[in-house]
Amino acid sequence: MEAVLVGAIVLASLLLAYLAYQALMGSPRGVRRRFAKLPVTHVADAVSPGFYRFEGRVRAIGEVPVSQASGRAYVARDLRIVPFDGGDSAGTRSAQQAVDFLVDDGTGVALVRAGRAAVAIDRDFEAPRSTLDRLPWVDELLREGGYVNVSPETCRIRLYEGVLSPGDPVGVIGQVEPADREARALGAAVVVSARAVAPGGDPPAV
């Protein structure tokens, strides 16, 4: 009986450690650690399949979303939302969003499938203070994250946002596969199933 109990405790500890690790890897600090550990590879030098880090410039695929907060077009954004209800803060809530885009590093183009990527962008925009009833898109994001406010008219919102826009330098880490039909039609040499997306520097010299 004691052995079973000890085994259960060990399994629970391992599960908690795994969940903590997953949360850290999706956090801005975790994303930056990923980038720090992986050297930059040119798109032209990538051998697929493989796991790589690319640095280049964002090229949009068709029309991209426009931020309801800042009015900026983006392929990825990182939001921090702080709801205040009755003078009490409900804690900072995060929301990350990304759409597929191309990264061009001067040696080649990669199609980045970014829908499941962890996003870490400096939040350089602060929205004017408002209440939740005037920001239905924020209410929707909060509900998706498990936060429901029953008094949106009195719930004050502070919102901070960072975006990656077409033309911005970008860094991408992910699993690289050969170009499929969609990628070839877009002029991309490979496809990246992105694990992490963040602002990047200029790609290394060719």
Side-chain angles (χ1 to χ4, degrees):
M1 183 65 181
E2 289 183 0
V4 173
L5 181 59
V6 170
I9 292 173
V10 170
L11 286 174
S13 300
L14 290 173
L15 178 59
L16 288 173
Y18 173 77
L19 292 174
Y21 173 80
Q22 291 294 97
L24 176 61
M25 289 299 99
S27 70
R29 184 172 60 178
V31 170
R32 293 185 181 97
R33 283 184 178 178
R34 290 188 186 189
F35 277 91
K37 289 181 178 180
L38 197 63
V40 179
T41 299
H42 287 128
V43 172
D45 295 334
V47 178
S48 54
F51 195 80
Y52 295 99
R53 169 187 170 191
F54 296 144
E55 299 271 348
R57 294 275 172 175
V58 173
R59 284 173 43 188
I61 302 173
E63 294 186 9
V64 297
V66 175
S67 167
Q68 305 94 321
S70 64
R72 297 178 292 183
Y74 68 89
V75 297
R77 71 170 171 176
D78 192 354
L79 294 164
R80 292 294 182 272
I81 305 167
V82 186
F84 290 86
D85 191 0
D88 295 326
S89 171
T92 301
R93 308 283 170 147
S94 64
Q96 302 172 343
Q97 298 173 313
V99 298
D100 294 352
F101 61 92
L102 301 171
V103 57
D104 186 344
D105 72 350
T107 74
V109 177
L111 169 58
V112 180
R113 295 199 168 118
R116 296 185 178 181
V119 177
I121 306 171
D122 290 336
R123 291 167 296 283
D124 58 356
F125 174 82
E126 180 178 356
R129 306 277 178 95
S130 187
T131 51
L132 190 57
D133 62 314
R134 297 181 180 180
L135 301 168
W137 65 275
V138 173
D139 190 21
E140 182 177 349
L141 287 175
L142 290 173
R143 288 176 181 272
E144 289 175 359
Y147 174 80
V148 179
N149 189 284
V150 297
S151 303
E153 298 84 1
T154 59
C155 179
R156 293 172 293 156
I157 296 294
R158 295 171 61 185
L159 185 144
Y160 307 89
E161 177 193 72
V163 303
L164 280 173
S165 298
D168 284 349
V170 64
V172 176
I173 291 176
Q175 180 67 29
V176 174
E177 301 290 347
D180 55 21
R181 181 179 298 178
E182 179 189 8
R184 290 193 295 270
L186 293 167
V190 293
V191 175
V192 185
S193 297
R195 304 284 182 83
V197 172
D202 289 324
V206 178

